[in-house]
Amino acid sequence: MSVSTKNVDPAFQGAGQKTGIEVWRIESSKLVAVPESSYGKFYTGESYMVLKTIASKSGVFRYDIHYWIGKDASEAEADTAALKTLELDAALGGRSVQYRELQGYETERFLSCFKPCFIPEETEPQKHKTRMFVCKGKHVVHVQEVPCARSSLNHDEIFILDTKNKIYQFNGSNTSIQERATALEVVRYIRDTYHHSICDIAAIDDGKMMADAEAGEFWAFFGGFAPLPRKTTVNNAQSTYALLSAQLFCVKKGQAECVAADSLTKKLLETHNCYLLDCGSEIYVWMGRSTSSKDRIFASKAAEEYLRCQDRPKSKLICVIENFETVSFQSKFDSWPQSNNVEASLDGRSKVAALLKRQGLDVKGLVKNAPKQEEEEPQPYIDCSGTLQVWLVNGKEKSLLSEMDQSKFYTGDCYIFQYTYTGDGQEECLIGTWLGKESVKEDRDSALSQANKMVESVKFLATQARVYEGNESILFYAIFQSFIVLKGGLSNGYKNYISEKGLLDETYKEDGIALFRVQGSGPENMQSIQVEAVASSLNSSYCYILHKDSLIFVWKGSQTSVEDHELADRQLDVIKPDMQTRVHKERAESDEFWEILGGKTEYASQKIPREAESDPHLFSCTLSKDDLRVTEIFNFNQDDLMTEEIYILDCHTEIFLWVGQEVNSKDKTQALAIGEKFLELNVLLEKLSLKAPIYIIMDGSEPPFFTRFFKWDSTKSAMHGNSFQRRLSMIKDGGRSTMNLKRKKRAHVLFGGRSASENPQRSRSVSFSYDRPRARGRSPAFNALASMFDNPIPRNLSTPPLLASRLGGGSNLDTSKILSKSKAIASLTASFNKPIRENLLPRSIKVNSDSSTPRSESTSRVIPMSSRKYSPTIKEDPKENEIEDDKGLTFYPYHRLTTSSIDPAPDIDVTRREIYLSKAEFKERFNMTKEAFDKLPKWRQNKMKISLRLF
């Protein structure tokens, strides 16, 4: 890159080293840093520069530079701002995107830096004066001061009248609820900024007559009520330009020459030239990396002159550097190859650093390397100790699977799963579908349809998920913990398909030949994937389990770790428990091993790459017939989610659809189709898999794995009413008037017939040896509860308790010691299942597993809890109950501490009865240690104590 850096301004020292924004003001052709307390306070007679620094998940900084020109700013200051922008870009390694911002025509990206609104001032206000503003925009508001006169008002816009004692918001009759809600943020800003947060607020609807007191006050400022004229005709020249096809110009010596081409391709852009791309509503300046500083200045001025000659002030001017083009720029071309701009950015930054050092400048702090980010194990952000149910889809029916089979999926089948867990102080529910690679369309459609009905039956309170085989998320794996994918299928659809096609039935058989690849990150996230039983399926980065009849081999790749070997042992307990195993290390295999695999051949050694979660992008969605329109929301926060709309949060590996409460029922049922259309659109040109997981989140039922992307305020999601009503309530009374005080606890139905809220608390986590280090990423519930399990199988101290029950180990669970929860809403699902039994449900619904094929729901039955196998619980010595601990506290048996005891313990604190339980009995009653209990919120402690008659 041949950009001169001789005159890099000292004001840029340390710029771009941390996330956030930095602002400079142009004064007499010099830069002056603006203090953070004055960010967003711009004056119309000046020009400013704004640097937005974003730290991407890839560990590299990204930069947006905006130079803002006030309507009264001098031409000299405007030119200085443009030149200083190029200077700053050079200091940052030549990888920023630069935006020219004219007052009144700012980009939404710029305005989002100064949420809730951006209001330039002519001078520093000395005392309050009555003013009126017009507000435009649904997600980012454009605010402009207008004359305080009746002639300024119209039916199509929103106006804010700021008087000394009250602020009025006038809502034009043709404006939307979302626009009105967004304008309220401007009202809040004006109140807090110019009235020290003390001022009355009134909302005036277009058409309200003088009979309304506040409407009368409002119209009094304009001499009384009178009908408003229709909005005057606006110049449509700008919209005409927007319809024109993109044109490419090459800039040479300050002159733009049209580039003749049948179609736009990247090959037209040469690295030693600058180009203009006119797209109507915006014009791009593309700067090759081999261009000089002078070339770039000429190109920037040529673009400004081009727009000035065509009288297009609304067209946005955006400058991009080769290898760092925006998605919107790339989308204008018929084809754009993928490239790795991380390496290019680091290369450019190092070259700039070398240039500056040769010129004697102190580069310390100016060209700081990109931040290093340690590779972290992905977290599921969900309580992993919930209740799981799984159904096999068989045509239009579904069959409840036994606990023994609910984590074994066949690639030719489709499944529905329901997971109920404790969320933010209430029961949460996730209903999802898993679609096998070899499944038939009839089963896939049926699975999605039945899952939709299940969600509808609980009034859309549950989160819905669509998961394809091979695209499972860490969240999905955490729910199942131990997950196995087998070849073939059990459904009639799959069997009929292979029969019609004359294909070989490869359905897994326990006494046949099978090869499994073992993968995962720990006991709470481990999978066995059946692969072709040939040597080429091996990979040095994994462990494998191979079996043929009674012969069982564990193959350990040369690049595997001790943790990988432990996972293989654990999975062996599931696939082939209590059988003799032969362990083979790579390059030390027996002839018999290779013979089973059909002979030794070459195989891979590199680990299968895992898609990394990228920086999230939020889009608002509008579906018109089959046309999906999306608009990106920059610098998003929780307030951007309006209850009348559907939003998509794109994280690259998965997408989340947030559906507002006020969205009509038809669009709610189309949410999954909207998500699929979004994947097809490929909005960010990141080649998203069409089978990426899709999660549908309902307004008011947001799970923690969604709220983690926001600074979430749960009180806002507990409000009712439309967006305007909610925000007006927040401004006037903190949201109390729209708070849903009668909101039901989100107890979700188990579709075996009872509510998850009636489920006892229990652990789904795996057991472990006390001398074994804990795996990373376990939930607090996991750590608190896992310690209560002993090892059911002495072979390798690794079998999870839920799997140990399948192998016959453990003892029966005493149902009298399980916590009861709130009543169910089972009536909501009466159309799906009749209640099976009026007893407490265990961690998962068990059905009779006498045959390998699951039975339909109508014939499935729940095995009484007294006959279920669980890991042994700790039994305490009755004499231990009345000894003193080291603090002199006397322990009593549980029956003497209850509120209904006929032989109550003497001299105890009746508000803290639980402290007089021994550690062993406390753990047995509460299913957690005393230390874990003490960390719970007070309300939750009291709820548990009430259920145990200890409060």
Side-chain angles (χ1 to χ4, degrees):
M1 181 178 67
S2 56
V3 177
S4 173
T5 54
K6 291 183 208 181
N7 303 315
V8 173
D9 199 298
F12 293 142
Q13 184 79 15
Q17 293 183 14
K18 60 181 180 179
T19 58
I21 66 171
E22 298 167 73
V23 183
W24 297 269
R25 183 175 65 252
I26 309 296
E27 282 188 8
S28 303
S29 300
K30 293 184 179 180
L31 286 176
V32 177
V34 175
E36 189 172 348
S37 59
S38 297
Y39 285 0
K41 188 183 289 185
F42 285 23
Y43 294 98
T44 61
E46 297 180 343
S47 296
Y48 295 81
M49 288 179 59
V50 178
L51 171 63
K52 172 74 173 179
T53 304
I54 307 107
S56 65
K57 286 185 178 289
S58 61
V60 175
F61 280 139
R62 294 189 291 109
Y63 302 104
D64 290 331
I65 305 175
H66 305 265
Y67 59 102
W68 184 86
I69 302 170
K71 64 182 180 65
D72 301 322
S74 67
E75 190 173 337
E77 285 192 350
D79 290 342
T80 300
L83 292 174
K84 291 295 182 181
T85 296
L86 291 172
E87 228 178 87
L88 177 56
D89 173 67
L92 297 173
R95 55 199 173 112
S96 69
V97 180
Q98 303 146 43
Y99 301 84
R100 185 191 67 162
E101 308 286 354
L102 297 182
Q103 182 180 345
Y105 305 104
E106 295 89 351
T107 63
E108 291 195 354
R109 189 184 293 269
F110 171 80
L111 294 174
S112 70
C113 294
F114 302 103
K115 287 183 176 180
C117 65
F118 175 74
I119 306 177
E121 301 278 359
E122 291 187 0
T123 58
E124 180 72 32
Q126 299 299 321
K127 62 179 182 178
H128 184 272
K129 68 174 183 177
T130 299
R131 298 187 295 176
M132 190 160 72
F133 303 90
V134 61
C135 299
K136 304 174 184 178
K138 188 164 65 172
H139 299 293
V140 176
V141 62
H142 293 256
V143 183
Q144 184 178 354
E145 187 172 353
V146 295
C148 191
R150 183 200 307 276
S151 58
S152 298
L153 301 173
N154 61 65
H155 301 292
D156 302 317
E157 293 170 323
I158 296 170
F159 296 85
I160 296 173
L161 179 64
D162 177 22
T163 71
K164 185 175 182 179
N165 299 316
K166 186 177 284 189
I167 304 171
Y168 300 87
Q169 176 171 318
F170 176 81
N171 300 317
S173 58
N174 297 331
T175 58
S176 67
I177 291 174
Q178 297 94 309
E179 290 173 315
R180 299 177 186 188
T182 302
L184 277 175
E185 293 302 320
V186 181
V187 172
R188 187 205 298 268
Y189 174 82
I190 292 174
R191 183 195 65 179
D192 296 345
T193 305
Y194 303 109
H195 297 270
H196 307 291
S197 302
I198 303 174
C199 187
D200 290 336
I201 292 170
I204 310 299
D205 288 336
D206 187 5
K208 274 193 176 181
M209 301 298 139
M210 296 287 290
D212 183 278
E214 290 182 332
E217 294 173 3
F218 173 78
W219 287 112
F221 283 95
F222 306 102
F225 176 80
L228 296 178
R230 292 182 177 273
K231 188 176 179 181
T232 56
T233 305
V234 296
N235 184 6
N236 291 323
Q238 190 72 28
S239 58
T240 301
Y241 281 117
L243 298 175
L244 298 176
S245 58
Q247 287 183 292
L248 185 66
F249 300 85
C250 181
V251 180
K252 294 182 178 179
K253 297 181 181 180
Q255 298 298 315
E257 301 176 359
C258 186
V259 176
D262 294 332
S263 62
L264 289 178
T265 63
K266 188 182 179 182
K267 292 180 180 179
L268 296 173
L269 305 176
E270 298 178 351
T271 187
H272 56 274
N273 284 334
C274 292
Y275 294 84
L276 305 185
L277 182 64
D278 184 3
C279 302
S281 57
E282 62 265 324
I283 181 168
Y284 294 90
V285 180
W286 184 89
M287 301 173 178
R289 294 199 70 80
S290 299
T291 54
S292 66
S293 175
K294 188 179 293 185
D295 291 334
R296 298 184 180 190
I297 293 172
F298 282 153
S300 181
K301 288 186 175 181
E304 291 189 12
E305 182 62 25
Y306 178 82
L307 290 176
R308 189 180 298 115
C309 291
Q310 297 193 25
D311 189 24
R312 291 164 56 186
K314 290 186 179 180
S315 290
K316 308 297 187 290
L317 178 56
I318 306 169
C319 300
V320 297
I321 310 297
E322 182 181 2
N323 293 331
F324 297 95
E325 299 86 354
T326 64
V327 171
S328 59
F329 177 83
Q330 295 176 19
S331 67
K332 309 300 180 185
F333 290 75
D334 295 332
S335 62
W336 193 276
Q338 293 288 318
S339 62
N340 185 0
N341 59 11
V342 174
E343 294 180 4
S345 68
L346 298 177
D347 179 60
R349 202 172 180 87
S350 62
K351 288 182 179 178
V352 171
L355 284 170
L356 295 176
K357 283 183 178 180
R358 286 200 296 271
Q359 293 163 11
L361 287 178
D362 180 15
V363 298
K364 184 179 180 181
L366 179 62
V367 287
K368 180 182 175 183
N369 287 333
K372 278 190 175 180
Q373 294 189 0
E374 294 183 6
E375 186 176 347
E376 297 181 356
E377 182 182 319
Q379 301 298 315
Y381 298 96
I382 194 171
D383 177 7
C384 297
S385 60
T387 300
L388 179 66
Q389 282 185 289
V390 182
W391 293 264
L392 168 67
V393 175
N394 198 348
K396 295 182 179 180
E397 298 180 352
K398 65 182 190 293
S399 303
L400 183 66
L401 296 183
S402 67
E403 180 184 353
M404 181 175 63
D405 295 324
Q406 67 179 10
S407 62
K408 297 178 181 178
F409 284 17
Y410 287 82
T411 188
D413 293 334
C414 296
Y415 298 83
I416 298 174
F417 61 91
Q418 176 180 290
Y419 183 65
T420 310
Y421 60 98
T422 301
D424 183 16
Q426 53 196 345
E427 292 296 323
E428 303 283 359
C429 182
L430 172 64
I431 295 174
T433 53
W434 184 91
L435 311 177
K437 289 181 179 178
E438 303 297 328
S439 61
V440 297
K441 187 177 185 301
E442 178 189 1
D443 285 347
R444 292 195 296 270
D445 292 343
S446 177
L448 295 172
S449 175
Q450 292 189 65
N452 281 338
K453 290 179 181 178
M454 292 169 70
V455 173
E456 288 180 38
S457 74
V458 291
K459 298 183 179 179
F460 295 99
L461 289 177
T463 296
Q464 187 174 355
R466 187 213 68 177
V467 181
Y468 271 97
E469 178 189 352
N471 293 82
E472 298 89 351
S473 64
I474 184 67
L475 171 67
F476 177 87
Y477 286 144
I479 289 173
F480 283 85
Q481 298 188 357
S482 176
F483 185 66
I484 302 175
V485 178
L486 303 169
K487 284 183 167 294
L490 303 177
S491 66
N492 293 333
Y494 174 78
K495 293 177 180 178
N496 292 338
Y497 175 78
I498 61 173
S499 176
E500 291 173 3
K501 298 293 183 180
L503 302 175
L504 180 66
D505 188 357
E506 297 182 326
T507 302
Y508 171 75
K509 296 178 181 178
E510 292 186 2
D511 57 353
I513 298 176
L515 179 66
F516 294 89
R517 182 181 71 244
V518 179
Q519 61 189 38
S521 60
E524 70 288 349
N525 171 23
M526 53 185 180
Q527 304 89 44
S528 293
I529 312 299
Q530 187 180 358
V531 294
E532 292 293 330
V534 293
S536 59
S537 296
L538 299 175
N539 187 312
S540 301
S541 297
Y542 296 92
C543 292
Y544 289 78
I545 296 172
L546 172 66
H547 72 70
K548 178 184 179 182
D549 300 326
S550 60
L551 287 176
I552 305 171
F553 299 88
V554 173
W555 186 84
K556 299 179 178 179
S558 59
Q559 298 180 32
T560 56
S561 63
V562 175
E563 290 77 12
D564 295 327
H565 302 164
E566 181 178 330
L567 288 184
D569 288 341
R570 290 177 181 271
Q571 290 297 79
L572 193 61
D573 284 344
V574 182
I575 298 171
K576 287 290 183 179
D578 299 331
M579 295 188 72
Q580 188 67 33
T581 304
R582 303 182 189 182
V583 178
H584 282 358
K585 292 184 178 180
E586 186 175 2
R587 292 188 290 273
E589 302 87 352
S590 65
D591 292 339
E592 190 175 15
F593 175 84
W594 292 121
E595 183 180 343
I596 295 175
L597 293 179
K600 186 175 182 180
T601 60
E602 293 185 358
Y603 49 82
S605 59
Q606 297 298 316
K607 202 156 194 173
I608 301 171
R610 183 183 63 198
E611 286 276 7
E613 190 177 80
S614 66
D615 304 303
H617 295 261
L618 184 68
F619 299 88
S620 66
C621 302
T622 304
L623 184 63
S624 176
K625 295 183 180 179
D626 291 331
D627 184 24
L628 178 65
R629 297 183 180 180
V630 297
T631 303
E632 183 168 5
I633 299 173
F634 305 105
N635 301 316
F636 63 84
N637 56 43
Q638 182 183 355
D639 290 333
D640 289 313
L641 302 175
M642 296 193 188
T643 189
E644 297 77 22
E645 296 190 338
I646 295 177
Y647 295 83
I648 291 180
L649 188 68
D650 180 0
C651 305
H652 183 67
T653 54
E654 54 201 359
I655 65 171
F656 300 86
L657 276 83
W658 184 90
V659 183
Q661 290 182 10
E662 299 295 315
V663 172
N664 64 65
S665 298
K666 181 180 178 181
D667 286 347
K668 284 182 180 180
T669 59
Q670 292 295 312
L672 182 58
I674 291 174
E676 292 173 338
K677 284 182 180 294
F678 179 83
L679 293 176
E680 293 173 3
L681 284 177
N682 192 23
V683 177
L684 295 175
L685 302 182
E686 55 185 353
K687 293 187 177 179
L688 274 175
S689 169
L690 297 181
K691 296 182 178 180
I694 298 175
Y695 297 93
I696 302 172
I697 316 293
M698 293 300 168
D699 179 12
S701 301
E702 295 85 356
F705 53 85
F706 174 78
T707 58
R708 68 187 177 98
F709 295 103
F710 304 81
K711 291 182 179 178
W712 197 260
D713 183 353
S714 57
T715 60
K716 292 181 179 179
S717 61
M719 300 173 71
H720 60 78
N722 62 43
S723 298
F724 178 74
Q725 292 168 337
R726 293 183 186 188
R727 292 198 185 181
L728 185 60
S729 174
M730 287 293 295
I731 294 174
K732 285 190 169 185
D733 58 21
R736 290 188 297 274
S737 61
T738 56
M739 191 64 65
N740 194 351
L741 299 177
K742 296 183 179 180
R743 192 176 182 187
K744 294 181 180 179
K745 177 183 176 183
R746 291 198 296 275
H748 296 295
V749 171
L750 288 175
F751 287 87
R754 293 181 64 80
S755 167
S757 63
E758 296 184 10
N759 246 19
Q761 184 175 353
R762 76 284 163 271
S763 171
R764 295 182 62 247
S765 51
V766 298
S767 62
F768 59 94
S769 170
Y770 287 97
D771 59 0
R772 177 175 298 167
R774 291 181 183 271
R776 293 174 295 164
R778 290 175 175 172
S779 66
F782 181 101
N783 291 330
L785 298 174
S787 60
M788 71 180 288
F789 294 100
D790 289 332
N791 228 26
I793 296 180
R795 179 170 115 188
N796 59 13
L797 301 177
S798 65
T799 306
L802 65 96
L803 300 173
S805 65
R806 305 169 188 171
L807 304 175
S811 62
N812 295 337
L813 184 66
D814 186 355
T815 58
S816 65
K817 297 175 181 178
I818 296 177
L819 298 178
S820 63
K821 293 187 177 180
S822 61
K823 291 297 182 181
I825 53 172
S827 59
L828 291 174
T829 57
S831 61
F832 286 91
N833 299 288
K834 295 180 180 179
I836 297 176
R837 293 190 56 165
E838 290 298 323
N839 65 342
L840 293 175
L841 287 170
R843 180 193 59 77
S844 59
I845 303 300
K846 284 193 172 186
V847 299
N848 194 316
S849 55
D850 293 338
S851 63
S852 59
T853 303
R855 298 190 298 175
S856 65
E857 281 191 70
S858 58
T859 58
S860 62
R861 64 184 182 88
V862 179
I863 298 177
M865 293 192 63
S866 59
S867 67
R868 293 188 185 133
K869 304 289 186 177
Y870 279 78
S871 300
T873 53
I874 302 173
K875 301 291 183 181
E876 63 175 294
D877 186 345
K879 294 181 180 180
E880 211 175 288
N881 291 326
E882 296 184 7
I883 66 172
E884 293 187 351
D885 67 0
D886 56 358
K887 297 181 181 179
L889 187 68
T890 302
F891 294 145
Y892 292 96
Y894 168 72
H895 71 271
R896 297 191 64 189
L897 294 171
T898 63
T899 55
S900 58
S901 175
I902 59 175
D903 181 24
D907 302 324
I908 64 170
D909 183 350
V910 295
T911 65
R912 302 183 64 203
R913 297 173 185 267
E914 73 281 358
I915 65 174
Y916 301 99
L917 290 170
S918 67
K919 288 185 177 180
E921 187 159 11
F922 188 97
K923 185 185 294 184
E924 190 173 11
R925 298 288 173 180
F926 286 85
N927 276 348
M928 65 176 64
T929 63
K930 287 187 176 182
E931 292 77 12
F933 178 82
D934 290 340
K935 294 178 182 179
L936 295 176
K938 196 68 177 177
W939 65 266
R940 191 171 179 188
Q941 291 182 3
N942 291 340
K943 182 178 177 181
M944 296 176 72
K945 287 173 7 181
I946 289 172
S947 67
L948 287 171
R949 294 176 295 158
L950 292 175
F951 189 73

